[in-house]
Amino acid sequence: MALPACDSTEEPAGCERFDFPLATPTSSGHLAVCDSPACGNGENPPNSGPHCGSVARCGVYTEPVSRCLYVHNLEHGHAVFLYNCPEGCPDEVAKLEAAAASVGTGANGVRRALVAQDPLMPQRVAAMLWRRTYSADSADPEALRCLLTHQDADAPEPGLACPGS
């Protein structure tokens, strides 16, 4: 009996209802000054573009992380989960933290994801990979799972380990 060949390009069941289009390619070099207004690709939040020469440590932050740092994380194939809830949103943060906990670890055993505040975002939550963003006012765990199927697919330097906290 012949078995059908597996097609590794198929999305997992249910993911076809989500669209995470690639942002327009931009330069992605390192900046001499990490808080430069030239950081990022002009999207809010930025998901690619010029960035710092350093990366942020992976893990969960209770404060904002420099956009120029986390854009470099994205270049390495790390997942970045952000929230903007001045009044607090523990349920949304818990969903983002759960998604981050599902991300694989690098060679050093550190999960290749970070969760942080971003008070500059227009929506309450965002999840990003290099050139891909999911943003909403409430995180959909299924959408987060589907976005993560693209991890490392488009990153210029995929699969690199992330320093831990």
Side-chain angles (χ1 to χ4, degrees), residues 7-112:
D7 180 4
S8 63
T9 62
E10 281 186 37
E11 288 185 332
C15 289
E16 65 280 348
R17 65 189 178 108
F18 300 106
D19 186 25
F20 309 109
L22 285 167
T24 303
T26 60
S27 71
S28 59
H30 293 171
L31 298 171
V33 178
C34 279
D35 290 328
S36 167
C39 178
N41 63 347
E43 292 195 15
N44 188 9
N47 61 19
S48 61
H51 52 271
C52 293
S54 308
V55 296
R57 294 190 174 279
C58 286
V60 177
Y61 293 81
T62 56
E63 69 279 343
V65 171
S66 165
R67 288 177 162 199
C68 278
L69 284 174
Y70 75 61
V71 169
H72 197 167
N73 288 71
L74 294 170
E75 182 184 44
H76 288 197
H78 306 162
V80 174
F81 301 91
L82 304 170
Y83 59 96
N84 180 13
C85 306
E87 74 291 349
C89 56
D91 293 344
E92 297 304 324
V93 174
K95 289 186 247 182
L96 298 176
E97 288 179 358
S102 75
V103 171
T105 59
N108 60 355
V110 175
R111 292 215 181 273
R112 298 175 57 237

